[in-house]
Amino acid sequence: MSEPQPTQPQSLLSIVAHCDNFSVSEEKITPGGEKLVSWRLTPDLSSPVLGLLRPCVVDQLKLESSNVWNFSLSGTSESISFASSLDTPAKRTRVMKEMCERWRDTGLWPDQIGPKKWRAEMYPIFRNPFGKRDAPLAEDGEVETGDDSTNYAFMMERAACALVGVVTYGVHMTVYEGGPEGEFIGNGDELQGYRIWVPKRARTKQTWPGYLDNSVAGGIPSGLGIFESVVKEAMEEASIPEYIVQVEYVYRLRVPPHVPLQLKPSDEEVESFELLELPEVESRIRAGLFKPNCAVVLIDFMINHGLITPDNEPDFLEIVTRIHGRFDYDRW
């Protein structure tokens, strides 16, 4: 696998725009002219919208069993939902598992769900993607409880989530040294005095191989809490003992000068770690060497630490707004 090559220096806004790259009109038409279809939980048109489906996926679903999928047309607005008989999370989970595995095995969308892209990890899907996280553990996804009153709707294979346009979730933790309690200067050289632990993704990763990443990052599988996910990823990817995460801030872990913390790979997902001065981190961000969402997390780190401000960044307000967007969810 070849190394990612640096680009010409990019603006921070263009880096954010690379990640915040989805928008849709009231008619659910993308800037590229593609008409998307709402995926609802039930046939009721007031039912929550779970995701947005591209035409090629809609066409494939129309070939599936009518006992599983319902197709509705209200005026010019089309929607797809689970059939009314799929009225519990366990039933929906079983249907999605069978279908996604069959699509994988028959060669559909190999760049998204082919054997080399398959993660064998279950992600929770919620009625309200910005609501309560109340999903069970992945191993309990097919256990029938009869309860369909939670925000949790079902779970599905991680690799297939992008294919059906649902919201997924991840955790990031920036591990850094220096800062206000140490060497913060505040005289125009604000980036000086901070050092960040930066991992390089393994070249065998299914996505973004060889790119730079955040100190600790990973998806949140079904049933695992946000803090639990941070601890899990810290141990698995960076060899950070659990007790260190517990006594420091989650998401941004400042390493005090007296703590001899050395990040090193603990699994096959990370190739190496470097402790980089923040100006070098920013330079590599602008050169496009970071995985895009990780670059955005680091830009947010610099904003929250007062290192990127309206005074030194002309696109400050647009950057802040786009980092904390909602994917035009109200138009789904």
Side-chain angles (χ1 to χ4, degrees):
M1 182 67 66
S2 60
E3 292 285 319
Q5 297 301 308
T7 66
Q8 291 295 316
Q10 304 175 54
S11 70
L12 294 182
L13 179 57
S14 68
I15 297 293
V16 171
H18 189 98
C19 193
D20 178 35
N21 60 7
F22 176 78
S23 63
V24 66
S25 70
E26 293 285 355
E27 295 76 26
K28 300 181 181 63
I29 298 175
T30 69
E34 198 167 40
K35 173 73 171 177
L36 304 180
V37 173
S38 297
W39 178 18
R40 296 185 181 277
L41 184 62
T42 73
D44 188 335
L45 291 180
S46 65
S47 175
V49 177
L50 306 173
L52 290 175
L53 304 172
R54 299 179 64 191
C56 59
V57 178
V58 173
D59 290 343
Q60 182 61 38
L61 289 175
K62 288 180 178 179
L63 300 176
E64 299 287 329
S65 170
S66 59
N67 294 326
V68 174
W69 300 102
N70 180 82
F71 300 87
S72 301
L73 186 64
S74 176
T76 59
S77 180
E78 184 180 7
S79 65
I80 295 176
S81 70
F82 289 109
S84 299
S85 59
L86 299 177
D87 55 2
T88 67
K91 291 178 182 178
R92 300 180 198 115
T93 297
R94 284 193 288 270
V95 162
M96 293 301 296
K97 182 176 185 294
E98 186 280 328
M99 185 181 73
C100 291
E101 290 178 353
R102 175 163 41 82
W103 285 1
R104 175 200 64 193
D105 295 342
T106 54
L108 286 172
W109 296 292
D111 291 338
Q112 285 78 40
I113 58 172
K116 293 183 179 179
K117 299 294 185 179
W118 196 260
R119 306 300 288 268
E121 186 176 0
M122 300 297 277
Y123 268 12
I125 309 301
F126 298 100
R127 287 171 165 81
N128 175 3
F130 307 106
K132 185 177 181 180
R133 297 185 54 82
D134 52 5
L137 292 170
E139 55 264 31
D140 297 328
E142 296 183 55
V143 175
E144 189 60 76
T145 65
D147 182 13
D148 197 29
S149 63
T150 60
N151 190 37
Y152 163 69
F154 62 95
M155 63 181 73
M156 62 179 292
E157 158 63 28
R158 173 177 179 171
C161 288
L163 195 62
V164 293
V166 295
V167 177
T168 59
Y169 309 85
V171 290
H172 290 255
M173 182 168 69
T174 302
V175 182
Y176 70 101
E177 299 179 1
E181 295 182 18
E183 307 162 45
F184 181 66
I185 298 172
N187 59 1
D189 296 320
E190 285 85 353
L191 295 186
Q192 301 295 332
Y194 284 85
R195 294 174 299 279
I196 292 180
W197 283 101
V198 176
K200 182 178 182 180
R201 294 167 66 85
R203 278 170 276 194
T204 55
K205 287 281 289 182
Q206 295 102 325
T207 56
W208 302 96
Y211 279 78
L212 302 178
D213 211 311
N214 208 351
S215 309
V216 173
I220 304 177
S222 191
L224 205 61
I226 296 173
F227 180 78
E228 295 172 297
S229 297
V230 171
V231 173
K232 169 180 171 289
E233 295 293 338
M235 283 290 294
E236 291 181 355
E237 293 189 353
S239 302
I240 300 177
E242 180 177 350
Y243 71 87
I244 288 183
V245 177
Q246 289 180 330
V247 299
E248 295 290 343
Y249 289 106
V250 179
Y251 308 131
R252 297 191 180 106
L253 195 160
R254 181 181 181 275
V255 182
H258 63 275
V259 175
L261 183 63
Q262 174 75 37
L263 271 61
K264 56 185 179 182
S266 184
D267 60 19
E268 297 180 352
E269 296 191 1
V270 174
E271 183 175 298
S272 60
F273 277 94
E274 292 182 274
L275 183 59
L276 299 177
E277 299 285 346
L278 196 49
E280 177 62 22
V281 173
E282 184 189 23
S283 175
R284 297 191 192 188
I285 287 174
R286 291 181 182 273
L289 295 176
F290 274 84
K291 183 170 176 271
N293 65 324
C294 297
V296 170
V297 170
L298 289 167
I299 291 171
D300 190 56
F301 171 91
M302 290 187 277
I303 290 172
N304 278 273
H305 284 254
L307 310 175
I308 296 176
T309 70
D311 294 325
N312 61 25
E313 173 50 63
D315 298 313
F316 181 85
L317 290 178
E318 186 170 357
I319 288 172
V320 171
T321 300
R322 294 185 68 168
I323 284 177
H324 302 285
R326 287 171 53 90
F327 322 116
D328 288 339
Y329 180 69
D330 294 340
R331 297 177 177 178
W332 289 22

